[in-house]
Coordinates of all heavy atoms in Angstrom, one line a residue:
M25 N 0.9 -1.2 0.0 CA 0.0 0.0 0.0 C 0.9 1.2 0.0 O 1.9 1.3 0.6 CB -0.9 0.0 1.2 CG -1.9 1.2 1.2 SD -3.0 1.1 2.6 CE -4.0 -0.3 2.1
A26 N 0.5 2.3 -0.7 CA 1.3 3.5 -0.8 C 1.5 4.1 0.6 O 0.6 4.2 1.4 CB 0.6 4.4 -1.7
G27 N 2.7 4.6 0.8 CA 2.9 5.3 2.1 C 3.2 4.4 3.3 O 3.4 4.9 4.4
E28 N 3.1 3.1 3.0 CA 3.3 2.2 4.1 C 4.7 1.8 4.2 O 5.4 1.5 3.3 CB 2.4 0.9 3.9 CG 2.3 0.0 5.0 CD 1.3 -1.1 4.8 OE1 0.2 -0.7 4.5 OE2 1.7 -2.2 4.8
T29 N 5.3 1.9 5.4 CA 6.7 1.6 5.6 C 6.8 0.1 6.0 O 5.9 -0.5 6.4 CB 7.3 2.4 6.7 OG1 6.7 2.1 7.9 CG2 7.2 3.9 6.4
E30 N 8.0 -0.4 5.9 CA 8.3 -1.8 6.3 C 7.9 -2.0 7.8 O 7.4 -3.0 8.1 CB 9.8 -2.1 6.1 CG 10.2 -3.5 6.5 CD 9.5 -4.6 5.6 OE1 9.2 -4.3 4.5 OE2 9.2 -5.7 6.2
R31 N 8.3 -1.0 8.6 CA 8.0 -1.1 10.0 C 6.5 -1.2 10.3 O 6.1 -1.9 11.2 CB 8.6 0.1 10.8 CG 8.3 0.1 12.2 CD 8.9 1.3 12.9 NE 9.5 0.7 14.1 CZ 10.7 1.0 14.6 NH1 11.4 1.9 14.1 NH2 11.1 0.4 15.7
S32 N 5.7 -0.4 9.6 CA 4.2 -0.5 9.8 C 3.6 -1.7 9.4 O 2.5 -2.0 9.8 CB 3.5 0.8 9.2 OG 3.6 0.7 7.8
R33 N 4.2 -2.5 8.5 CA 3.6 -3.7 8.0 C 4.0 -4.9 8.9 O 3.3 -5.9 8.8 CB 4.1 -4.1 6.6 CG 3.5 -3.2 5.5 CD 3.9 -3.8 4.2 NE 5.3 -3.6 3.9 CZ 5.8 -2.9 3.0 NH1 5.1 -2.2 2.2 NH2 7.2 -2.8 2.9
R34 N 5.0 -4.8 9.7 CA 5.4 -5.9 10.6 C 4.4 -6.1 11.7 O 3.8 -5.1 12.2 CB 6.7 -5.6 11.2 CG 7.8 -5.9 10.3 CD 9.1 -5.9 11.0 NE 9.7 -4.6 10.7 CZ 10.6 -4.0 11.5 NH1 11.0 -4.6 12.6 NH2 11.0 -2.8 11.3
K35 N 4.2 -7.3 12.1 CA 3.3 -7.6 13.3 C 4.0 -7.2 14.5 O 5.2 -7.4 14.7 CB 2.9 -9.1 13.3 CG 2.1 -9.5 12.2 CD 1.7 -10.9 12.3 CE 0.8 -11.4 11.2 NZ 0.5 -12.8 11.4
P36 N 3.3 -6.7 15.5 CA 4.0 -6.3 16.8 C 4.4 -7.6 17.5 O 3.8 -8.6 17.4 CB 2.9 -5.6 17.6 CG 1.6 -6.0 16.9 CD 1.9 -6.3 15.5
A37 N 5.5 -7.5 18.3 CA 6.0 -8.6 19.0 C 5.0 -8.9 20.1 O 4.3 -8.1 20.6 CB 7.4 -8.3 19.6
A38 N 5.0 -10.2 20.5 CA 4.1 -10.6 21.6 C 4.6 -10.0 22.9 O 5.8 -9.8 23.1 CB 4.1 -12.1 21.7
V39 N 3.6 -9.7 23.8 CA 4.0 -9.1 25.0 C 4.8 -10.0 25.8 O 4.5 -11.2 25.9 CB 2.7 -8.7 25.8 CG1 3.0 -8.2 27.2 CG2 1.9 -7.7 25.1
G40 N 5.9 -9.5 26.3 CA 6.8 -10.4 27.2 C 7.7 -11.3 26.4 O 8.4 -12.1 26.9
S41 N 7.7 -11.1 25.0 CA 8.6 -12.0 24.2 C 10.1 -11.6 24.4 O 10.9 -12.4 24.3 CB 8.2 -11.9 22.8 OG 8.4 -10.7 22.2
G42 N 10.3 -10.3 24.5 CA 11.7 -9.8 24.7 C 12.6 -10.1 23.6 O 13.8 -10.1 23.7
G43 N 12.1 -10.3 22.4 CA 12.9 -10.4 21.2 C 13.4 -11.8 21.1 O 12.7 -12.8 20.9
A44 N 14.7 -12.0 21.1 CA 15.4 -13.3 20.9 C 15.0 -14.3 22.0 O 14.9 -13.9 23.2 CB 16.9 -13.1 20.8
S45 N 14.9 -15.5 21.7 CA 14.6 -16.5 22.6 C 15.8 -16.9 23.4 O 16.9 -17.1 22.9 CB 14.0 -17.7 21.8 OG 13.8 -18.8 22.7
S46 N 15.6 -17.2 24.7 CA 16.7 -17.6 25.5 C 17.0 -19.1 25.4 O 18.1 -19.5 25.7 CB 16.5 -17.2 27.0 OG 15.3 -17.9 27.4
S47 N 16.0 -19.9 25.0 CA 16.3 -21.3 24.9 C 16.5 -21.6 23.4 O 16.0 -21.0 22.5 CB 15.1 -22.1 25.4 OG 14.0 -21.8 24.6
P48 N 17.4 -22.6 23.1 CA 17.7 -23.0 21.7 C 16.5 -23.4 20.9 O 16.5 -23.2 19.7 CB 18.7 -24.1 21.8 CG 18.8 -24.5 23.3 CD 18.0 -23.5 24.1
G49 N 15.5 -24.0 21.5 CA 14.4 -24.5 20.7 C 13.3 -23.5 20.6 O 12.2 -23.8 20.2
G50 N 13.5 -22.3 21.0 CA 12.4 -21.2 21.0 C 11.7 -21.1 22.3 O 12.1 -21.8 23.3
S51 N 10.8 -20.2 22.4 CA 10.2 -19.9 23.7 C 9.3 -20.9 24.2 O 9.0 -21.0 25.4 CB 9.5 -18.5 23.7 OG 8.5 -18.6 22.7
R52 N 8.9 -21.9 23.3 CA 8.0 -22.9 23.7 C 8.7 -24.2 24.0 O 8.0 -25.2 24.3 CB 6.9 -23.2 22.6 CG 6.1 -22.0 22.4 CD 5.0 -22.3 21.4 NE 4.2 -21.1 21.1 CZ 3.1 -21.1 20.5 NH1 2.5 -22.3 20.1 NH2 2.4 -20.0 20.3
A53 N 10.0 -24.2 24.0 CA 10.7 -25.5 24.2 C 10.5 -25.9 25.6 O 10.6 -25.1 26.6 CB 12.2 -25.3 23.9
G54 N 10.2 -27.2 25.8 CA 10.0 -27.7 27.1 C 8.6 -27.5 27.7 O 8.3 -28.0 28.8
K55 N 7.8 -26.7 27.1 CA 6.5 -26.5 27.6 C 5.5 -27.4 27.0 O 5.5 -27.7 25.8 CB 6.0 -25.0 27.3 CG 6.8 -24.0 28.0 CD 6.3 -22.6 27.7 CE 7.1 -21.5 28.5 NZ 6.6 -20.2 28.2
K56 N 4.6 -28.0 27.8 CA 3.6 -28.9 27.3 C 2.3 -28.1 27.0 O 1.9 -27.2 27.8 CB 3.3 -30.0 28.4 CG 4.4 -30.9 28.6 CD 4.1 -32.0 29.5 CE 5.3 -33.0 29.7 NZ 4.9 -34.0 30.6
R57 N 1.7 -28.4 25.9 CA 0.4 -27.7 25.5 C -0.7 -28.4 26.3 O -0.7 -29.6 26.4 CB 0.2 -27.8 24.0 CG 1.2 -27.0 23.2 CD 0.9 -27.1 21.8 NE -0.4 -26.5 21.5 CZ -1.0 -26.5 20.3 NH1 -0.4 -27.0 19.3 NH2 -2.1 -25.9 20.2
A58 N -1.6 -27.6 26.7 CA -2.8 -28.1 27.3 C -3.6 -28.9 26.2 O -3.7 -28.4 25.1 CB -3.7 -27.0 27.9
P59 N -4.3 -30.0 26.6 CA -5.1 -30.7 25.6 C -6.2 -29.8 25.1 O -6.9 -29.1 25.8 CB -5.6 -31.9 26.3 CG -5.3 -31.7 27.7 CD -4.3 -30.6 27.9
S60 N -6.4 -29.7 23.7 CA -7.4 -28.9 23.2 C -8.7 -29.7 23.1 O -8.7 -30.9 23.1 CB -7.0 -28.4 21.8 OG -6.8 -29.5 21.0
K61 N -9.8 -29.0 23.0 CA -11.1 -29.6 22.8 C -11.1 -30.3 21.4 O -10.7 -29.7 20.4 CB -12.2 -28.6 22.9 CG -12.3 -28.0 24.3 CD -13.4 -27.0 24.4 CE -13.5 -26.4 25.8 NZ -14.5 -25.3 25.8
P62 N -11.7 -31.4 21.3 CA -11.8 -32.0 20.0 C -12.7 -31.2 19.1 O -13.7 -30.6 19.5 CB -12.4 -33.4 20.2 CG -13.1 -33.3 21.6 CD -12.3 -32.3 22.3
M63 N -12.4 -31.1 17.8 CA -13.2 -30.4 16.8 C -14.5 -31.1 16.6 O -14.5 -32.3 16.5 CB -12.4 -30.2 15.5 CG -11.2 -29.3 15.6 SD -11.7 -27.6 15.9 CE -12.7 -27.2 14.5
P64 N -15.5 -30.4 16.4 CA -16.8 -31.0 16.0 C -16.7 -31.8 14.7 O -16.0 -31.3 13.8 CB -17.8 -29.9 15.9 CG -17.1 -28.7 16.5 CD -15.7 -29.0 16.5
Q65 N -17.2 -33.0 14.7 CA -17.0 -33.9 13.5 C -18.2 -33.9 12.5 O -18.0 -33.9 11.3 CB -16.8 -35.3 14.0 CG -15.5 -35.5 14.8 CD -14.3 -35.1 14.0 OE1 -14.2 -35.4 12.9 NE2 -13.4 -34.4 14.6
G66 N -19.4 -33.8 13.0 CA -20.5 -34.0 12.1 C -21.3 -32.7 11.8 O -21.2 -31.8 12.5
N67 N -22.0 -32.7 10.7 CA -22.8 -31.5 10.3 C -24.0 -31.3 11.3 O -24.5 -30.3 11.3 CB -23.3 -31.7 8.9 CG -22.2 -31.5 7.9 OD1 -21.1 -31.1 8.2 ND2 -22.5 -31.9 6.6
D68 N -24.3 -32.4 12.0 CA -25.5 -32.3 12.9 C -25.0 -31.7 14.3 O -25.9 -31.4 15.1 CB -26.1 -33.6 13.2 CG -26.7 -34.2 11.9 OD1 -27.1 -33.3 11.0 OD2 -26.8 -35.4 11.7
D69 N -23.8 -31.6 14.5 CA -23.2 -31.2 15.8 C -23.5 -29.7 15.9 O -23.2 -28.9 15.0 CB -21.8 -31.4 15.9 CG -21.2 -31.2 17.3 OD1 -21.8 -30.4 18.1 OD2 -20.1 -31.7 17.6
P70 N -24.2 -29.2 17.0 CA -24.5 -27.8 17.2 C -23.2 -26.9 17.2 O -23.2 -25.8 16.7 CB -25.2 -27.7 18.5 CG -25.6 -29.1 18.9 CD -24.7 -30.0 18.1
A71 N -22.1 -27.4 17.8 CA -20.9 -26.7 17.8 C -20.3 -26.5 16.4 O -19.8 -25.4 16.0 CB -19.8 -27.3 18.6
Y72 N -20.5 -27.5 15.5 CA -20.1 -27.4 14.1 C -20.9 -26.3 13.4 O -20.4 -25.5 12.7 CB -20.2 -28.8 13.4 CG -19.8 -28.7 12.0 CD1 -18.5 -28.9 11.6 CD2 -20.8 -28.5 11.0 CE1 -18.2 -28.8 10.2 CE2 -20.5 -28.5 9.6 CZ -19.1 -28.6 9.3 OH -18.8 -28.6 8.0
K73 N -22.2 -26.4 13.6 CA -23.1 -25.4 13.0 C -22.8 -24.0 13.4 O -22.8 -23.1 12.7 CB -24.6 -25.8 13.2 CG -25.0 -27.0 12.5 CD -26.5 -27.3 12.8 CE -26.9 -28.5 12.0 NZ -28.3 -28.8 12.2
S74 N -22.5 -23.9 14.7 CA -22.1 -22.5 15.3 C -20.8 -22.0 14.6 O -20.7 -20.8 14.2 CB -21.9 -22.6 16.8 OG -21.5 -21.4 17.3
L75 N -19.8 -22.9 14.5 CA -18.6 -22.5 13.9 C -18.8 -22.2 12.4 O -18.2 -21.2 11.9 CB -17.5 -23.6 14.0 CG -16.9 -23.8 15.4 CD1 -16.0 -25.0 15.4 CD2 -16.2 -22.6 15.8
E76 N -19.6 -23.0 11.7 CA -19.9 -22.7 10.3 C -20.6 -21.4 10.1 O -20.3 -20.6 9.2 CB -20.7 -23.9 9.8 CG -20.9 -23.9 8.3 CD -21.6 -25.1 7.8 OE1 -22.7 -25.4 8.4 OE2 -21.1 -25.8 6.9
A77 N -21.5 -21.1 11.0 CA -22.2 -19.8 10.9 C -21.2 -18.6 11.2 O -21.3 -17.6 10.5 CB -23.4 -19.7 11.9
A78 N -20.3 -18.8 12.1 CA -19.4 -17.8 12.4 C -18.4 -17.5 11.3 O -18.1 -16.4 10.9 CB -18.6 -18.1 13.7
V79 N -18.0 -18.6 10.6 CA -17.1 -18.5 9.5 C -17.8 -17.8 8.3 O -17.3 -16.9 7.6 CB -16.6 -19.9 9.0 CG1 -15.9 -19.8 7.7 CG2 -15.6 -20.4 10.1
T80 N -19.1 -18.2 8.1 CA -19.9 -17.6 7.0 C -20.0 -16.1 7.3 O -19.9 -15.2 6.4 CB -21.2 -18.2 6.9 OG1 -21.0 -19.6 6.6 CG2 -22.1 -17.6 5.8
S81 N -20.3 -15.7 8.5 CA -20.5 -14.3 8.9 C -19.2 -13.5 8.7 O -19.3 -12.4 8.2 CB -21.0 -14.3 10.4 OG -21.0 -12.9 10.8
L82 N -18.1 -14.1 9.2 CA -16.8 -13.4 9.1 C -16.4 -13.3 7.6 O -15.8 -12.3 7.2 CB -15.8 -14.1 9.9 CG -16.0 -14.0 11.4 CD1 -15.0 -15.0 12.1 CD2 -15.8 -12.6 11.9
T83 N -16.7 -14.3 6.8 CA -16.4 -14.2 5.4 C -17.2 -13.1 4.7 O -16.6 -12.4 3.9 CB -16.7 -15.6 4.7 OG1 -15.9 -16.6 5.4 CG2 -16.3 -15.6 3.2
T84 N -18.5 -13.0 5.0 CA -19.3 -12.0 4.4 C -18.8 -10.6 4.9 O -18.7 -9.7 4.0 CB -20.8 -12.1 4.9 OG1 -21.2 -13.4 4.5 CG2 -21.7 -11.1 4.3
E85 N -18.4 -10.5 6.2 CA -17.9 -9.2 6.7 C -16.6 -8.8 6.0 O -16.4 -7.7 5.6 CB -17.8 -9.2 8.2 CG -17.3 -7.9 8.8 CD -17.1 -7.9 10.3 OE1 -17.3 -9.0 10.9 OE2 -16.8 -6.9 10.8
R86 N -15.7 -9.8 5.8 CA -14.4 -9.6 5.2 C -14.6 -9.1 3.7 O -14.0 -8.2 3.3 CB -13.6 -10.9 5.2 CG -12.2 -10.7 4.5 CD -11.7 -12.0 3.9 NE -12.6 -12.5 2.9 CZ -12.7 -13.8 2.6 NH1 -12.0 -14.7 3.1 NH2 -13.6 -14.2 1.6
D87 N -15.6 -9.8 3.0 CA -15.8 -9.4 1.6 C -16.3 -7.9 1.6 O -16.0 -7.2 0.7 CB -16.8 -10.4 1.0 CG -16.2 -11.7 0.8 OD1 -14.9 -11.9 0.9 OD2 -16.9 -12.7 0.6
H88 N -17.2 -7.6 2.5 CA -17.8 -6.3 2.5 C -16.7 -5.2 2.8 O -16.6 -4.2 2.2 CB -18.9 -6.2 3.6 CG -19.3 -4.8 3.9 ND1 -20.1 -4.0 3.0 CD2 -19.0 -3.9 4.9 CE1 -20.3 -2.8 3.5 NE2 -19.6 -2.7 4.7
L89 N -15.8 -5.6 3.8 CA -14.7 -4.7 4.1 C -13.7 -4.5 3.0 O -13.1 -3.4 2.8 CB -14.0 -5.1 5.4 CG -14.8 -5.0 6.7 CD1 -14.1 -5.7 7.9 CD2 -15.1 -3.5 7.0
K90 N -13.5 -5.6 2.3 CA -12.6 -5.5 1.1 C -13.1 -4.5 0.1 O -12.4 -3.7 -0.5 CB -12.4 -6.9 0.5 CG -11.3 -7.7 1.1 CD -11.2 -9.0 0.3 CE -10.1 -9.9 0.9 NZ -9.9 -11.1 0.1
G91 N -14.4 -4.6 -0.2 CA -15.1 -3.7 -1.1 C -15.0 -2.3 -0.6 O -14.8 -1.3 -1.4
A92 N -15.3 -2.1 0.7 CA -15.2 -0.7 1.3 C -13.8 -0.2 1.2 O -13.6 1.0 0.9 CB -15.7 -0.7 2.7
L93 N -12.8 -1.0 1.4 CA -11.4 -0.6 1.3 C -11.1 -0.2 -0.1 O -10.4 0.9 -0.4 CB -10.5 -1.7 1.8 CG -9.0 -1.4 1.7 CD1 -8.6 -0.1 2.5 CD2 -8.2 -2.6 2.1
A94 N -11.5 -1.0 -1.1 CA -11.2 -0.6 -2.5 C -11.9 0.7 -2.9 O -11.2 1.5 -3.6 CB -11.7 -1.8 -3.4
A95 N -13.1 0.9 -2.4 CA -13.8 2.2 -2.7 C -13.0 3.3 -2.0 O -12.9 4.4 -2.7 CB -15.2 2.1 -2.2
A96 N -12.6 3.2 -0.8 CA -11.9 4.2 -0.1 C -10.6 4.5 -0.8 O -10.2 5.7 -0.9 CB -11.7 3.8 1.4
E97 N -9.9 3.5 -1.2 CA -8.6 3.7 -1.9 C -8.8 4.5 -3.2 O -8.0 5.3 -3.6 CB -7.9 2.4 -2.1 CG -7.3 1.8 -0.8 CD -6.7 0.4 -1.0 OE1 -7.1 -0.3 -2.0 OE2 -5.9 0.0 -0.2
A98 N -9.9 4.1 -3.9 CA -10.2 4.8 -5.2 C -10.5 6.3 -4.9 O -10.1 7.2 -5.7 CB -11.3 4.1 -5.9
R99 N -11.2 6.5 -3.9 CA -11.6 7.9 -3.5 C -10.4 8.7 -3.1 O -10.2 9.9 -3.5 CB -12.6 7.9 -2.3 CG -13.0 9.2 -1.8 CD -13.9 10.0 -2.8 NE -14.3 11.2 -2.2 CZ -14.4 12.4 -2.8 NH1 -14.2 12.4 -4.1 NH2 -14.8 13.4 -2.2
I100 N -9.5 8.1 -2.4 CA -8.2 8.7 -2.0 C -7.4 9.1 -3.2 O -6.8 10.2 -3.3 CB -7.4 7.9 -1.0 CG1 -8.1 7.8 0.4 CG2 -6.0 8.3 -0.8 CD1 -7.6 6.7 1.3
A101 N -7.3 8.2 -4.1 CA -6.5 8.4 -5.4 C -7.1 9.6 -6.1 O -6.4 10.5 -6.6 CB -6.5 7.2 -6.2
A102 N -8.5 9.7 -6.2 CA -9.1 10.7 -6.9 C -8.9 12.1 -6.2 O -8.6 13.1 -6.9 CB -10.7 10.5 -7.0
L103 N -9.0 12.1 -4.9 CA -8.7 13.3 -4.1 C -7.2 13.8 -4.3 O -7.0 15.0 -4.4 CB -9.0 13.1 -2.6 CG -10.5 13.0 -2.3 CD1 -10.7 12.5 -0.9 CD2 -11.3 14.3 -2.6
E104 N -6.3 12.8 -4.3 CA -4.9 13.2 -4.5 C -4.7 13.8 -5.8 O -3.9 14.7 -6.0 CB -4.0 12.0 -4.2 CG -3.9 11.5 -2.8 CD -3.2 10.3 -2.6 OE1 -3.0 9.5 -3.6 OE2 -2.7 10.0 -1.4
A105 N -5.4 13.2 -6.8 CA -5.2 13.8 -8.2 C -5.8 15.2 -8.2 O -5.2 16.1 -8.9 CB -6.0 12.9 -9.2
E106 N -7.0 15.4 -7.6 CA -7.5 16.8 -7.6 C -6.6 17.7 -6.8 O -6.5 18.9 -7.2 CB -8.9 16.7 -6.9 CG -10.0 16.1 -7.8 CD -10.2 16.9 -9.1 OE1 -10.3 18.1 -9.0 OE2 -10.3 16.2 -10.1
N107 N -6.0 17.3 -5.8 CA -5.1 18.1 -5.0 C -3.9 18.5 -5.8 O -3.5 19.7 -5.8 CB -4.6 17.3 -3.7 CG -3.8 18.2 -2.8 OD1 -4.1 19.3 -2.6 ND2 -2.7 17.6 -2.3
R108 N -3.3 17.5 -6.6 CA -2.2 17.9 -7.5 C -2.6 18.9 -8.5 O -1.8 19.8 -8.8 CB -1.7 16.6 -8.2 CG -0.8 15.8 -7.3 CD -0.1 14.7 -8.2 NE -1.0 13.8 -8.8 CZ -1.6 12.7 -8.2 NH1 -1.3 12.4 -7.0 NH2 -2.4 11.9 -8.9
K109 N -3.8 18.8 -9.1 CA -4.3 19.8 -10.1 C -4.4 21.2 -9.4 O -4.0 22.2 -10.0 CB -5.6 19.4 -10.6 CG -5.6 18.2 -11.5 CD -7.0 17.8 -12.0 CE -7.0 16.6 -12.9 NZ -8.4 16.2 -13.2
A110 N -5.0 21.2 -8.2 CA -5.1 22.5 -7.6 C -3.7 23.1 -7.3 O -3.5 24.4 -7.5 CB -5.9 22.4 -6.3
V111 N -2.8 22.3 -6.8 CA -1.4 22.8 -6.5 C -0.8 23.3 -7.7 O -0.1 24.4 -7.8 CB -0.6 21.7 -5.8 CG1 0.9 22.2 -5.7 CG2 -1.1 21.5 -4.4
D112 N -1.0 22.6 -8.9 CA -0.4 23.0 -10.1 C -1.0 24.3 -10.6 O -0.3 25.2 -11.1 CB -0.6 21.9 -11.2 CG 0.3 20.7 -11.0 OD1 1.2 20.8 -10.2 OD2 0.0 19.7 -11.6
R113 N -2.3 24.5 -10.4 CA -2.9 25.8 -10.9 C -2.4 26.9 -10.0 O -2.2 28.0 -10.5 CB -4.5 25.7 -10.8 CG -5.1 24.9 -11.9 CD -6.6 25.0 -11.9 NE -7.3 24.6 -10.7 CZ -7.7 23.3 -10.5 NH1 -7.6 22.4 -11.4 NH2 -8.3 23.0 -9.4
I114 N -2.3 26.7 -8.7 CA -1.8 27.8 -7.8 C -0.4 28.1 -8.2 O 0.0 29.3 -8.2 CB -2.0 27.4 -6.3 CG1 -3.4 27.3 -5.9 CG2 -1.2 28.3 -5.4 CD1 -3.7 26.6 -4.6
S115 N 0.4 27.1 -8.4 CA 1.8 27.4 -8.8 C 1.9 28.2 -10.1 O 2.7 29.1 -10.3 CB 2.5 26.0 -9.0 OG 3.8 26.2 -9.4
W116 N 1.0 27.8 -11.1 CA 1.0 28.5 -12.4 C 0.6 30.0 -12.1 O 1.2 30.9 -12.7 CB 0.0 27.9 -13.3 CG -0.2 28.6 -14.6 CD1 0.7 28.5 -15.7 CD2 -1.2 29.5 -15.0 NE1 0.2 29.3 -16.7 CE2 -0.9 30.0 -16.3 CE3 -2.3 30.1 -14.3 CZ2 -1.7 30.9 -16.9 CZ3 -3.0 31.0 -15.0 CH2 -2.8 31.4 -16.2
V117 N -0.4 30.3 -11.3 CA -0.8 31.7 -11.0 C 0.3 32.4 -10.3 O 0.6 33.6 -10.7 CB -2.1 31.6 -10.1 CG1 -2.4 33.1 -9.5 CG2 -3.3 31.1 -10.9
I118 N 1.0 31.8 -9.4 CA 2.1 32.5 -8.7 C 3.2 32.8 -9.7 O 3.7 33.9 -9.7 CB 2.6 31.6 -7.6 CG1 1.6 31.6 -6.4 CG2 4.0 32.2 -7.1 CD1 1.9 30.6 -5.3
D119 N 3.5 31.9 -10.6 CA 4.5 32.1 -11.6 C 4.1 33.2 -12.6 O 4.9 34.1 -13.0 CB 4.8 30.8 -12.5 CG 5.6 29.8 -11.7 OD1 6.2 30.1 -10.6 OD2 5.6 28.6 -12.1
S120 N 2.8 33.3 -13.0 CA 2.3 34.3 -13.8 C 2.4 35.6 -13.2 O 2.8 36.6 -13.8 CB 0.9 34.0 -14.2 OG 0.8 32.8 -15.0
L121 N 2.0 35.7 -11.9 CA 2.1 37.0 -11.2 C 3.5 37.4 -11.0 O 3.9 38.6 -11.2 CB 1.4 36.9 -9.8 CG -0.1 36.7 -9.8 CD1 -0.6 36.4 -8.5 CD2 -0.8 38.0 -10.4
Q122 N 4.4 36.5 -10.7 CA 5.8 36.8 -10.6 C 6.4 37.4 -11.9 O 7.1 38.4 -11.9 CB 6.7 35.6 -10.2 CG 8.1 35.9 -9.8 CD 8.2 36.8 -8.6 OE1 7.5 36.6 -7.6 NE2 9.1 37.7 -8.7
S123 N 6.0 36.8 -13.0 CA 6.5 37.2 -14.4 C 5.9 38.6 -14.6 O 6.6 39.5 -15.2 CB 6.0 36.2 -15.4 OG 6.6 35.0 -15.3
A124 N 4.7 38.9 -14.3 CA 4.1 40.2 -14.5 C 4.8 41.3 -13.7 O 5.0 42.4 -14.1 CB 2.6 40.1 -14.2
L125 N 5.2 40.9 -12.5 CA 5.8 41.9 -11.6 C 7.2 42.2 -12.1 O 7.8 43.3 -11.9 CB 5.9 41.4 -10.2 CG 4.6 41.4 -9.4 CD1 4.8 40.7 -8.1 CD2 4.1 42.8 -9.2
D126 N 7.9 41.2 -12.7 CA 9.3 41.3 -13.2 C 9.4 42.2 -14.4 O 10.4 42.7 -14.7 CB 9.9 39.9 -13.5 CG 10.2 39.2 -12.2 OD1 10.3 39.8 -11.1 OD2 10.4 37.9 -12.3
E127 N 8.3 42.3 -15.1 CA 8.3 43.1 -16.4 C 8.3 44.6 -16.2 O 8.1 45.2 -15.4 CB 7.1 42.7 -17.3 CG 7.2 41.4 -17.8 CD 6.0 41.0 -18.6 OE1 5.0 41.7 -18.7 OE2 6.0 39.9 -19.2

């Protein structure tokens, strides 16, 4: 995206990560993960239906936001073009007045 720096695109570090890991295998070395809940298996499972509805809702919202972002970026580009035209006209007027005063 225009005007975006490398630093602004990076994800922020996790709180308490402190940068480099002190253990050779990373910060998770030696830690046991808690057992996770099993994923719902069947289409009849209410948890599965709930997750499916959430995914559908989030997908719809994502698509809407992508469209809104594209429209906003197009509007910004149009405003920047109009701004350049206005600056060019002002510059031309200043140059014309300066030339008239020099004569």
Side-chain angles (χ1 to χ4, degrees):
M25 183 176 288
E28 192 173 300
T29 64
E30 180 64 30
R31 175 176 229 143
S32 67
R33 284 189 297 243
R34 281 190 265 155
K35 291 182 180 179
V39 175
S41 67
S45 175
S46 59
S47 63
S51 62
R52 294 183 184 199
K55 293 184 181 179
K56 292 184 180 180
R57 291 181 65 183
S60 61
K61 296 179 184 177
M63 289 296 295
Q65 296 299 319
N67 290 346
D68 295 333
D69 189 341
Y72 178 84
K73 289 182 180 181
S74 175
L75 288 174
E76 190 174 51
V79 167
T80 301
S81 173
L82 290 171
T83 301
T84 302
E85 182 179 3
R86 181 209 57 207
D87 293 343
H88 170 73
L89 291 172
K90 279 184 175 181
L93 176 61
E97 288 174 336
R99 177 73 175 140
I100 289 168
L103 290 171
E104 288 174 342
E106 288 298 315
N107 186 41
R108 277 191 302 275
K109 289 178 187 177
V111 169
D112 289 345
R113 285 192 300 267
I114 292 168
S115 180
W116 178 81
V117 168
I118 291 170
D119 288 344
S120 297
L121 291 172
Q122 187 67 39
S123 295
L125 289 173
D126 289 343
E127 292 178 356

